[in-house]
Amino acid sequence: MAAINTMEKKLAEYKCDTNEAICMKLVRFPEDVEDDSTTFHPEFSHQVYGDDEVAFGYKGLQIQLFYTAGNLSTLFKVKYSSKVTETFDCVEPDDIEGKIREIIPAGFTCNSDDFISLLEKEANFQPFGTLLHTYTVHSEDAGDLTYQIHKVDVNCAGFHDYHKRLQTFLMWFIETASFIDADDDRWDFFLVFEKYNKDGETLYATVGYMTVYNYYVYPDKTRPRVSQMLILPPFQGEGHGAQLLEAVHRFYCSLPKVQDITAEDPSESYVKLRDYVLVKLCQGLPSFTADKLPLGFSADMAKEAQDKLKINKKHARRVYEILRLRATDMSDEDKARAYRLEVKKRLFGPYRKNQREMAKMKKCLRPEELLSHVDQMDTQTQHEELEKSYQVVVEDYRRIIERIATHA
């Protein structure tokens, strides 16, 4: 038994956390390759290396996935200090390289010198598609930096191969990501680029992107649905997501055949971002003025948001709640109570549904079967959960209001 435990401890030394082992870079200058400060790591690696996010068989494992900043030409290298087969004859290491090769497209290099030589070609890289929007972000180190948002379709020359490289980032930063069939012409792509200077030339770095699928709505409309959205880690927290989502929203608002704009299985962070952008867009609409907000969510609000901004009723309702909170003096007990009841009325929807289901159950279930469902729908528990939900919602709304005030 002691010998087995000793063996297990020795083998455990050959386990590596793949989130730490994978080292990624967006490289602009040759010196970036050796500069650890430009390295970032995945948030997730379970889609490639399993739920444990562990690779076995190596000590000091480092998986390098370096990309040129614009064209995303790729360096893929695996380095380690020792391999389990050097000590144990009958133990096989995991196929680290094979798993990566399954997701990165052909055309990558495994040689650092060849990769650095590819940086010279970055001057030839130009953003794909049509320019939609230009904006600046102030940086303490670099001053005002200029960014561009472009709309691209699948037939744009060179884009197909570029997109194959770009979408590999999804595997590391979106928990349930999957690659899309980019040949389907119902896909729209929106890309963000940073303009930067290198040796007197203007170059472009990839910042992030969004994919949108255009669904048909009877009889003659379309419903664009956001499928994927990612701002690459070195650019996160700088407001690019909001700029991208607002530019995309404004683009579809300009198309008469668009019914409304939705998102596929949106994450919590995306919902918060969408709330922020939609509030910015709606706050100037006549039906959302401060004097009308205390009167409740109206058909005029829903219609104006739909007609002018392609916002569906559900999203318009959230916008109304945020704007009403901003316009409400919550230190006034009566006004605060009126607001709280208005929000809880919406939040109570699922509980009301449960009550209807309970009424149906009473008609068709035996007493002992009914008893098993009663605890799930206890009235006191419902009130407690409703209050918790309300507090979470209001806290999220306050953050959005603060962000809008900061960027006003």
Side-chain angles (χ1 to χ4, degrees):
M1 181 66 74
I4 292 174
N5 289 338
T6 301
M7 174 72 77
E8 286 179 349
K9 287 180 180 178
K10 288 182 177 179
L11 289 174
E13 295 175 2
Y14 290 90
K15 290 183 178 180
C16 297
D17 181 333
T18 47
N19 289 334
E20 290 297 319
I22 297 168
C23 297
M24 310 181 78
K25 291 179 184 283
L26 292 167
V27 179
R28 301 185 184 192
F29 307 98
E31 53 267 29
D32 292 344
V33 173
E34 300 298 330
D35 183 358
D36 289 341
S37 71
T38 64
T39 300
F40 56 96
H41 302 276
E43 288 185 31
F44 314 103
S45 55
H46 61 87
Q47 295 188 105
V48 179
Y49 289 112
D51 291 342
D52 291 338
E53 298 182 324
V54 168
F56 171 75
Y58 308 86
K59 287 184 180 180
L61 179 65
Q62 186 181 92
I63 302 167
Q64 294 182 344
L65 280 172
F66 297 172
Y67 297 80
T68 58
N71 193 47
L72 304 180
S73 301
T74 311
L75 170 69
F76 169 45
K77 286 178 70 174
V78 175
K79 301 166 69 175
Y80 49 86
S81 56
S82 63
K83 198 172 182 178
V84 69
T85 49
E86 296 168 7
T87 307
F88 301 94
D89 293 335
C90 301
V91 181
E92 283 297 316
D94 291 342
D95 182 10
I96 299 299
E97 292 194 26
K99 291 181 182 296
I100 295 283
R101 288 173 184 268
E102 288 177 8
I103 65 166
I104 61 173
F108 60 85
T109 180
C110 298
N111 183 284
S112 297
D113 292 335
D114 290 344
F115 176 73
I116 289 173
S117 70
L118 291 172
L119 292 175
E120 298 173 8
K121 299 180 180 179
E122 285 287 280
N124 300 324
F125 174 76
Q126 293 294 312
F128 299 96
T130 305
L131 176 64
L132 286 186
H133 179 57
T134 300
Y135 62 97
T136 59
V137 174
H138 183 74
S139 164
E140 299 245 337
D141 298 328
D144 289 337
L145 300 174
T146 301
Y147 297 87
Q148 295 182 347
I149 297 173
H150 289 241
K151 191 259 179 186
V152 190
D153 64 47
V154 295
N155 300 315
C156 187
F159 176 72
H160 196 274
D161 289 338
Y162 166 86
H163 175 257
K164 284 183 178 179
R165 298 189 291 274
L166 177 59
Q167 71 177 350
T168 60
F169 286 96
L170 297 176
M171 289 295 158
W172 313 117
F173 297 103
I174 296 182
E175 192 166 8
T176 56
S178 59
F179 293 162
I180 65 172
D181 176 13
D183 292 327
D184 188 334
D185 62 9
R186 284 178 289 185
W187 284 108
D188 288 333
F189 301 85
F190 299 88
L191 304 173
V192 187
F193 298 97
E194 179 193 329
K195 292 175 70 174
Y196 70 97
N197 187 279
K198 181 179 179 182
D199 300 328
E201 291 186 283
T202 298
L203 277 70
Y204 293 87
T206 299
V207 172
Y209 81 120
M210 178 190 289
T211 59
V212 180
Y213 195 79
N214 292 286
Y215 284 88
Y216 168 71
V217 178
Y218 180 85
D220 61 351
K221 299 282 189 180
T222 61
R223 173 172 286 125
R225 180 181 292 176
V226 176
S227 175
Q228 302 159 327
M229 179 178 178
L230 177 64
I231 301 299
L232 298 176
F235 303 97
Q236 290 176 2
E238 298 176 356
H240 302 295
Q243 290 281 355
L244 175 57
L245 187 55
E246 183 173 347
V248 169
H249 213 96
R250 289 187 183 279
F251 168 76
Y252 286 118
C253 284
S254 70
L255 304 180
K257 285 191 172 290
V258 169
Q259 175 82 12
D260 53 32
I261 304 159
T262 62
E264 179 184 342
D265 192 20
S267 66
E268 187 176 325
S269 59
Y270 178 86
V271 170
K272 292 175 182 177
L273 180 66
R274 180 177 63 196
D275 284 343
Y276 167 73
V277 170
L278 297 189
V279 168
K280 276 185 65 182
L281 293 171
C282 284
Q283 62 184 348
L285 296 179
S287 60
F288 286 87
T289 53
D291 61 313
K292 293 176 181 171
L293 294 168
L295 303 177
F297 182 64
S298 67
D300 287 344
M301 292 175 180
K303 187 175 188 307
E304 189 173 23
Q306 175 79 54
D307 293 348
K308 294 183 178 179
L309 295 172
K310 315 293 186 182
I311 298 171
N312 64 34
K313 185 176 180 180
K314 178 182 176 182
H315 298 161
R317 167 76 195 210
R318 288 179 64 90
V319 168
Y320 150 76
E321 291 177 1
I322 296 167
L323 289 175
R324 179 165 174 178
L325 177 62
R326 186 174 71 175
T328 300
D329 178 3
M330 296 299 279
S331 65
D332 183 311
E333 190 173 326
D334 290 338
K335 292 178 181 178
R337 182 175 181 276
Y339 178 77
R340 184 171 64 252
L341 291 175
E342 182 73 1
V343 174
K344 284 188 174 182
K345 184 169 67 175
R346 174 181 63 82
L347 295 175
F348 190 67
Y351 300 100
R352 189 181 293 113
K353 181 181 177 183
N354 284 343
Q355 288 177 337
R356 289 196 298 267
E357 290 175 352
M358 175 63 78
K360 292 177 183 177
M361 288 177 187
K362 286 179 179 178
K363 295 177 181 178
C364 60
L365 294 181
R366 295 192 302 273
E368 62 271 20
E369 292 175 324
L370 185 62
L371 190 61
S372 67
H373 293 274
V374 169
D375 290 340
Q376 300 174 26
M377 302 181 185
D378 174 74
T379 302
Q380 181 61 33
T381 303
Q382 287 181 12
H383 284 302
E384 290 173 0
E385 290 300 315
L386 190 60
E387 179 61 24
K388 285 180 187 177
S389 298
Y390 169 76
Q391 293 298 338
V392 169
V393 164
V394 168
E395 187 60 33
D396 287 342
Y397 287 178
R398 285 198 172 109
R399 290 195 190 99
I400 292 166
I401 291 167
E402 289 170 9
R403 184 177 180 185
I404 287 174
T406 302
H407 293 90

